[in-house]
């Protein structure tokens, strides 16, 4: 029931009755229990086209919240995320160097303390969710390898938990981005999906098969950025045998723009407003390389939807027909038929929403556990 309210956009009691198959009195009792726990609210009934008395809507209570965090090589981003994937008070703390796990945890602690004294002072904080750009062991959140951060075998959730004194969980950032887009973004209702995330640390990805996230045998599936694309024209390659994330590079685009770092909306605005021919040439080259990588993914996995997040969404926004043509040229025609390529619907909030979803998991599974918070 809580999951339906959390992900359903404010269903009515009648909607919940239809979705669950339970009778109205049972729905009423369950809703009342969730209200008592402080997890949902009921609103006055709104007019509908249905015959009979309008049914009351059930909405997420705005008080429960997760602190969602995305540590990167150039910034640490923190936000309060409520039930229903509502992102509030997003803060980006820029860094002038790559921080150690301990230093990053200290920065997170400072940002969380500011939120607790201000916007989050009246919230019921459940925990912290971390979207980490690296290989993260799903069972315990240990960061096995985050190459761009330089972290290896770090129990980062435990470090953060010791600082903020809240239960803390972690997973790969792109895996969480895929989860968020599947539940709340352009992938809602899509059962076969490939997601690629382009961030400051490179390119990661996630796969949804038959409606379920595909993690691989050990939880590390989706590392598209470490594949080495085959390029027919040597002019399209700028590194020697480089990986996808070395060839399709946010840092290279920022350098042409004359910037060291940039938040995603600022980056996209700068790219789309630029008339620099050097930038345009580089964008076109990166589209060709990305097109080959996406073609391989489509040939192997046969998704109905490919979702691009971060700076990869900007490559799509700059010239969508050109990127689609690059993909089509490297994809089996029957595999390409019907496949759609879309920008992440949750935009810059996708990783934070994914991190929050991970941290909300225990309450969604067992709402009664929230009574202890």
């Amino acid at each position: 029931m809580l999951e339906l309210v959390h992900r359903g956009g404010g269903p009515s009691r009648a909607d919940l009755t239809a979705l669950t198959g339970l009778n109205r009195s049972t729905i009423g009792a369950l809703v009342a229990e969730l209200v008592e726990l402080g997890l949902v609210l009921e609103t006055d009934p709104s007019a509908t086209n249905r015959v009979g008395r309008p049914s009351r809507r059930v909405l997420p209570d705005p008080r429960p919240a997760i602190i969602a965090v995305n540590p990167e090589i150039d910034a640490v981003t923190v936000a309060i995320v409520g039930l229903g994937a509502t992102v509030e008070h997003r803060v980006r703390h820029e860094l002038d160097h790559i921080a150690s796990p301990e230093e990053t945890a200290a920065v997170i602690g400072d940002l969380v303390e500011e939120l607790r004294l201000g916007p989050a002072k009246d919230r019921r904080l459940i925990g912290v969710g971390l979207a980490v750009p690296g290989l993260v062991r799903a069972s315990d959140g240990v960061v096995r390898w985050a190459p761009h951060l330089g972290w290896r075998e770090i129990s980062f959730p435990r470090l953060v938990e010791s600082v903020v004194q809240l239960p803390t969980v972690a997973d790969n950032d792109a895996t969480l981005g895929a989860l968020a887009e599947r539940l709340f973004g352009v992938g809602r209702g899509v059962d076969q999906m490939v997601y690629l995330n382009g961030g400051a640390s490179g390119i990661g990805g996630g796969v949804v098969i038959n409606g379920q996230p595909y993690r691989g045998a050990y939880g590390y599936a989706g590392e598209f950025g470490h594949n080495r694309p085959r390029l027919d024209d040597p002019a399209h390659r700028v590194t020697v045998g480089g990986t996808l994330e070395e060839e399709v590079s946010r840092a290279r685009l920022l350098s042409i723009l004359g910037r060291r770092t940039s938040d995603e909306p600022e980056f996209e605005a700068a790219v789309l407003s630029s008339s620099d021919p050097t930038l345009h040439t580089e964008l076109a080259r990166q589209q060709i390389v990305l097109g080959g990588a996406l073609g391989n993914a489509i040939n192997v996995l046969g998704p109905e939807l490919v979702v691009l997040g971060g700076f990869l969404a900007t490559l799509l926004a700059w010239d969508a027909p050109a990127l689609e043509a690059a993909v089509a040229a490297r994809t089996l025609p029957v595999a390409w038929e019907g496949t759609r390529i879309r920008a992440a619907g949750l935009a810059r909030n996708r990783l934070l929403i994914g991190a929050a979803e991970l941290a909300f998991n225990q309450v969604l599974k067992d709402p009664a556990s929230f009574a202890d918070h």
Side-chain angles (χ1 to χ4, degrees), residues 107-144:
V107 169
I108 293 169
D110 290 341
L111 294 173
V112 170
E113 184 62 21
E114 290 176 14
L115 290 173
R116 276 175 158 157
L117 294 174
K121 65 181 179 181
D122 296 322
R123 308 296 289 267
R124 294 176 69 183
L125 296 179
I126 296 172
V128 176
L130 306 170
V132 180
L135 299 178
V136 180
R137 190 162 59 205
S139 60
D140 57 8
V142 168
V143 180
R144 303 297 309 279

Side-chain angles (χ1 to χ4, degrees), residues 245-262 267-268 270-271 274 276 278-287 290 310-316 318:
E245 67 179 26
E246 290 172 326
E247 292 287 344
V248 179
S249 165
R250 173 181 176 269
R252 192 172 287 113
L253 297 172
L254 280 172
S255 178
I256 295 171
L257 290 167
R259 300 183 179 211
R260 187 191 69 83
T261 185
S262 180
F267 174 82
E268 181 159 308
V271 167
S274 175
D276 184 348
T278 302
L279 178 66
H280 289 185
T281 299
E282 177 62 15
L283 288 166
R285 185 197 69 80
Q286 291 197 20
Q287 281 192 329
L290 179 60
F311 83 92
L312 299 181
T314 299
L315 288 181
L316 177 66
W318 181 68

Side-chain angles (χ1 to χ4, degrees), residues 313-352:
T314 299
L315 288 181
L316 177 66
W318 181 68
D319 191 342
L323 179 58
E324 290 173 355
V327 176
R330 292 158 181 81
T331 310
L332 294 170
V334 292
W336 174 239
E337 282 178 356
T339 303
R340 297 169 291 135
I341 302 177
R342 297 288 184 269
L346 303 174
R348 65 176 182 169
N349 289 328
R350 67 200 180 281
L351 305 183
L352 299 172

Side-chain angles (χ1 to χ4, degrees), residues 18 130 169 225 229 240 252 266 275 278 308 328 351 361 372:
L130 306 170
V169 290
V240 179
R252 192 172 287 113
E266 297 169 351
S275 58
T278 302
L308 301 179
L351 305 183
N361 189 48
D372 299 328

Side-chain angles (χ1 to χ4, degrees), residues 72-91:
E72 261 289 5
I73 61 173
D74 59 348
V76 175
T77 303
V78 173
I80 301 170
V81 183
L83 288 166
T86 55
V87 178
E88 306 162 44
H89 307 291
R90 190 178 187 278
V91 178

